[in-house]
Amino acid sequence: METKKITNAAMMAALAVVLSFLGSYYPPFFLLFFLIPAPLAVACVLGSLSYAMIASFIVFTADLVLIGIGTAFVALFFALQGVFMGYLVSKRRRAGEVLLDVTAISIVGMVGIFYLLKLAFNVDIMSHFFKAIAVAFDNISSYYKGHPNFSTIQSNLLSIRHMMEMTIPASLVIIILMMSWLNYLVLYKILKRQHFNIESLPPFEEWKMPYIAGWIFIGVLLYQYFARTPNLIITNIVVLLSFGFTIGGLALIKFYLTRKLNMKSWGANLLLIFLLFFPLTSWLLAIVGIADTSLDLRKYLR
């Protein structure tokens, strides 16, 4: 039995190294880097916490030798995220609790890493984000230099750039939450093949923001209105809640399309993508999500 656990941990560590290597050196496979937590979670569930920790150290060492110190530390962060997810799953925690706990501990870990890098190596990660945004918008601005309405375009670009800089924290939280969700899905699929059943996440069409979120949203909007000046914390809360309500709106529409109209799931997904990126409908999705949160519209559609 111990040999099987060791072999499984070694295989999962090797898979994580391959994912980090492909994600680092081949741009089309960049997203594979974010799947590093899944194999480490598998190593923890099918092996043990100690084997998963050893596998994480192997991933860090291999990436340190093959890629570089920066990538190695990022891979270690993702690997430990997977270990924590696997530990919670092995303790038979509910799927929603696992997602929230992994997201929360990942956010705390990310803030801690940013602080340690600043303290120990004088590396300011946030300044790198600001520089990347500045370079991107400078390139876009230079493209429109000959345009007759260049001053208006530049003013709009500056406003968008300022908003993106303010909402970096919310963007990072959303990315971590989506990473946790994706890795849990992969973990569920892998463990199912190994005949190890864990709780599945609810179908997308059943997703809905909690009732209290609507009142929080109203409260922060009122605060923003009366304060009249942008507040970093409030702005990021608004972005996070708006994202949640938009997802809730998409889920409700898919519920209607698949449960009432009997549309195929793939067709409903294509329509949802169109609604999300079409300017005239994208902003309506959050309103639909807010209405569903307060009125529970699904009970009228069943």
Side-chain angles (χ1 to χ4, degrees), residues 31 40 57 76 90 98 136 237:
L31 292 177
L40 275 303
F57 180 74
L76 179 62
S90 66
V98 173
I237 292 175

Side-chain angles (χ1 to χ4, degrees), residues 106-128:
S106 298
I107 292 170
V108 172
M110 180 181 64
V111 173
I113 289 172
F114 286 0
Y115 178 76
L116 288 175
L117 287 174
K118 176 68 175 178
L119 189 66
F121 303 103
N122 198 30
V123 176
D124 190 344
I125 300 297
M126 294 302 292
S127 68
H128 287 288

